[in-house]
Amino acid sequence: MVLTGEHFLQEGLITGDQLNQAITKQRELDNKESLARILVQMGFISERDRVRCLGKVWGVPFADINEVMPQAEALELLSPQNARKFKALPIERHGSRVIVAMVNPLDIFAIDEIRLITGLDVEPMIVIEEDLYGALQQYYRSEGELLAGVIRDFDGSELSIGATPDDEQEQEADDAPIIRLANLIISQAVIDKASDIHIEPQKDGLRVRYRIDGVLMEGMNLPKKVSAALSSRFKIIANMDIAEKRMPQDNRISMTVSGKEFDFRVSTLPCVFGEKIVMRVLDKGSIKVGLKKLGLLENNLAAIEDMCTKTYGIILVTGPTGSGKSTTLYSILNHINTGDNNIITIEDPVEYELSGINQCGVNVRAGMTFAAGLRSMLRQDPDVIMVGEMRDNETATIAMEAALTGHLVLSTLHTNDAPSAPTRLIDMGVEPFLISSSVIGILAQRLMRVTCTNCKEQYQVKKSDIVRFGFELPNHIMDDGNETITLYRGAGCEKCKKSGYKGRTGVHELMLMTDEIRDMILKHEPAHLLRATAVKNGMQTLQSDALSKVLLGITTIDEVIRVIYA
């Protein structure tokens, strides 16, 4: 049987309107993509929903590997090589049968092979592909032993193969210790869902660190002898000049890791003890596109959905680098992208490709700046325009004039909070009347780590301690007669690497443009007065939004203090 949109309707996962939007997008793509995957891309369902429903249609039970610990005797039935080859993980053995989690439980050839290897009857279950790869790495890999073997095999020579290898050389290269080490560093980043890999030469060694959920964590400590060869290997992968060690270099590459496509932005920087390498990991398949996946509270979500219905004006998203602004813009675009409008973006660079949307990249050398691209886009009959960033007066002015002439414009700005955005635009030289006339709303945001659900525990804290940190508890909590309040934190487990956190969510501050605020912008009123007026009109500040998520058990007080009060 084929998985159709009707199955998701019956499960109550989507509405009829959402199904129609997905069907329209599928037609635009000439039916090259399945309807179920389009629903996932549009944020209407999760990958878990898709796989679970697919299993129900095929008559195969769903296996949640994150919640199940495979039996040791079951794992021994398949070698790591065969487990990866068949995309399968043995979970339990019961007498003459074995339960196996598989990406494709209808692959009769793989099932027959597993039956021959194990000598047991196979009962397949369906599993999310990404979860399976993570489990294979977790249960079939001893990182310490693998790393020790790579270092032991490395003879200290410079890497010479790999620049332009033929087939035979490439086969030999895969077995080279330094290449195995480079692959290990990259695959570990993918397993841990790291956003960046830092390879840092020290005086007496080489340190590898991963940025996971916004925080740098120790990965590996390697001997100094591998530094030069490892640097050369990453330069070869990134098509850089391996002979140039005195100048910074950067490039962008695509690689397949654990069966998934990834983009890496590679940057080298000459330092005292060697070249520091940073790789930004971009997983195109895992971007959380969808307004309901951003962590917006109900009132903010409703307000943003209302703003998306406007036919003209500017929606600004502000925050520091790495606060999820691009993901929010992509989610808004995905919400707007119903198939009956022309959406064009200009970005630097295009990080994630969205189907049905025309995306352009900045190329300063070719004269394709934000301002030049924006002018050209206005001649392409757009309905919605997304400008990656307002960096200068010219770009901001053109964008605002476009908003006044009947276009919905989305863009980002670097400010600490929403009320500071108009002041920042005025400082850039934008006329106040343009700002007050064109801006619909300003969303400021940060990313905070989420308490690990696997090791979450309750604890009591005095209300006076929370107030002392500057938080304002709601009246119904302050007046309930108790001195303490129940909060949640992660105790630390293997799944969260003892940190107590797993994943991130957004914290938001949405300032809607009212007539009162527009008048204040025209009068050049400072940001603190705009803030006071916005709060009076119902704006929830970053601090109060974060506290709401603490009281809901989503995150912790410590994390709020780290992110909001840093």
Side-chain angles (χ1 to χ4, degrees), residues 21 307-310 315 331-341 343 384 408 410:
Q21 289 182 41
M307 286 195 295
C308 290
T309 63
K310 307 293 185 188
I315 300 172
S331 298
I332 294 173
L333 286 177
N334 222 41
H335 186 79
I336 295 169
N337 186 21
T338 55
D340 57 358
N341 49 20
I343 302 174
V384 181
L408 183 63
L410 312 174

Side-chain angles (χ1 to χ4, degrees), residues 4-298:
T4 66
E6 294 298 325
H7 292 105
F8 299 111
L9 277 175
Q10 290 168 10
E11 291 286 320
L13 296 170
I14 59 171
T15 64
D17 182 53
Q18 289 173 331
L19 178 58
N20 290 333
Q21 289 182 41
I23 291 170
T24 302
K25 182 171 282 191
Q26 187 184 36
R27 286 175 186 149
E28 287 179 8
L29 299 172
D30 297 326
N31 296 316
K32 292 177 182 176
E33 192 77 81
S34 72
L35 188 63
R37 293 196 181 278
I38 288 173
L39 286 165
V40 174
Q41 291 169 10
M42 296 181 77
F44 296 151
I45 63 170
S46 65
E47 179 66 8
R48 180 192 176 92
D49 293 331
R50 185 189 73 82
V51 174
R52 187 172 54 78
C53 287
L54 189 60
K56 188 172 285 190
V57 169
W58 288 349
V60 180
F62 173 71
D64 189 344
I65 291 184
N66 293 323
E67 302 296 330
V68 176
M69 179 71 73
Q71 295 175 349
E73 62 173 327
L75 290 170
E76 291 171 1
L77 294 170
L78 274 187
S79 68
Q81 292 77 17
N82 282 327
R84 291 186 175 88
K85 176 183 175 183
F86 301 131
K87 296 184 180 179
L89 180 76
I91 297 175
E92 293 177 13
R93 177 178 178 172
H94 299 286
S96 63
R97 60 191 178 89
V98 60
I99 297 173
V100 181
M102 302 180 69
V103 172
N104 182 5
L106 300 188
D107 187 346
I108 56 173
F109 299 105
I111 291 172
D112 284 343
E113 288 276 356
I114 295 170
R115 186 183 294 117
L116 286 170
I117 292 168
T118 61
L120 303 169
D121 290 329
V122 177
E123 289 189 12
M125 297 180 75
I126 194 167
V127 67
I128 299 169
E129 187 169 6
E130 184 179 357
D131 289 352
L132 177 82
Y133 283 123
L136 291 177
Q137 294 286 357
Q138 180 179 349
Y139 297 118
Y140 280 121
R141 174 188 57 87
S142 171
E143 185 188 310
E145 292 175 14
L146 182 57
L147 190 57
V150 170
I151 301 303
R152 185 179 61 249
D153 294 342
F154 180 65
D155 61 6
S157 63
E158 279 286 341
L159 185 67
S160 58
I161 51 176
T164 53
D166 57 26
D167 291 341
E168 289 183 15
Q169 281 182 318
E170 202 162 5
Q171 191 65 39
E172 293 172 16
D174 288 339
D175 297 326
I178 204 67
I179 294 180
R180 280 157 46 208
L181 177 59
N183 292 342
L184 175 61
I185 290 170
I186 292 173
S187 62
Q188 187 61 43
V190 170
I191 294 163
D192 293 340
K193 293 183 170 59
S195 61
D196 299 88
I197 306 168
H198 290 245
I199 300 164
E200 304 166 326
Q202 310 287 302
K203 186 175 183 179
D204 53 0
L206 187 69
R207 179 171 67 169
V208 179
R209 295 193 291 172
Y210 299 105
R211 189 173 294 280
I212 301 169
D213 294 333
V215 178
L216 270 176
M217 295 185 178
E218 284 287 340
M220 309 171 190
N221 283 299
L222 306 173
K224 185 71 174 176
K225 66 178 183 178
V226 306
S227 181
L230 191 62
S231 172
S232 295
R233 175 59 190 163
F234 281 118
K235 283 183 173 181
I236 286 168
I237 293 172
N239 296 317
M240 294 178 180
D241 182 358
I242 62 171
E244 180 55 77
K245 299 181 179 181
R246 298 171 299 173
M247 292 285 290
Q249 298 183 64
D250 61 83
N251 205 353
R252 182 183 177 128
I253 55 168
S254 293
M255 290 176 64
T256 302
V257 184
S258 297
K260 291 185 68 180
E261 281 289 331
F262 288 84
D263 274 1
F264 295 88
R265 291 216 302 266
V266 186
S267 170
T268 69
L269 182 70
C271 295
V272 175
F273 300 113
E275 288 180 285
K276 182 181 188 297
I277 298 172
V278 174
M279 300 177 70
R280 167 62 60 86
V281 185
L282 300 170
D283 178 4
K284 294 187 177 183
S286 72
I287 180 172
K288 290 185 177 179
V289 171
L291 289 177
K292 293 181 180 176
K293 297 181 182 179
L294 300 177
L296 289 158
L297 295 179
E298 285 186 15

Side-chain angles (χ1 to χ4, degrees), residues 294-297 300 304 307 315-320 323-325 328-329 332 411-422 441-447 505-512 531 539-543 545-546 549 563-564:
L294 300 177
L296 289 158
L297 295 179
N300 285 338
I304 288 178
M307 286 195 295
I315 300 172
L316 286 174
V317 182
T318 77
S323 59
K325 298 189 296 295
T328 299
L329 287 183
I332 294 173
S411 191
T412 68
L413 201 62
H414 285 282
T415 64
N416 289 326
D417 56 17
S420 300
I442 303 166
L443 179 73
Q445 67 178 58
R446 300 287 189 279
L447 287 177
T505 190
V507 187
H508 305 91
E509 175 179 276
L510 179 61
M511 186 174 86
L512 298 173
R531 166 176 287 277
M539 181 183 82
Q540 198 165 6
T541 64
L542 284 169
Q543 287 87 343
D545 190 81
K549 290 180 169 70
V563 174
I564 307 295

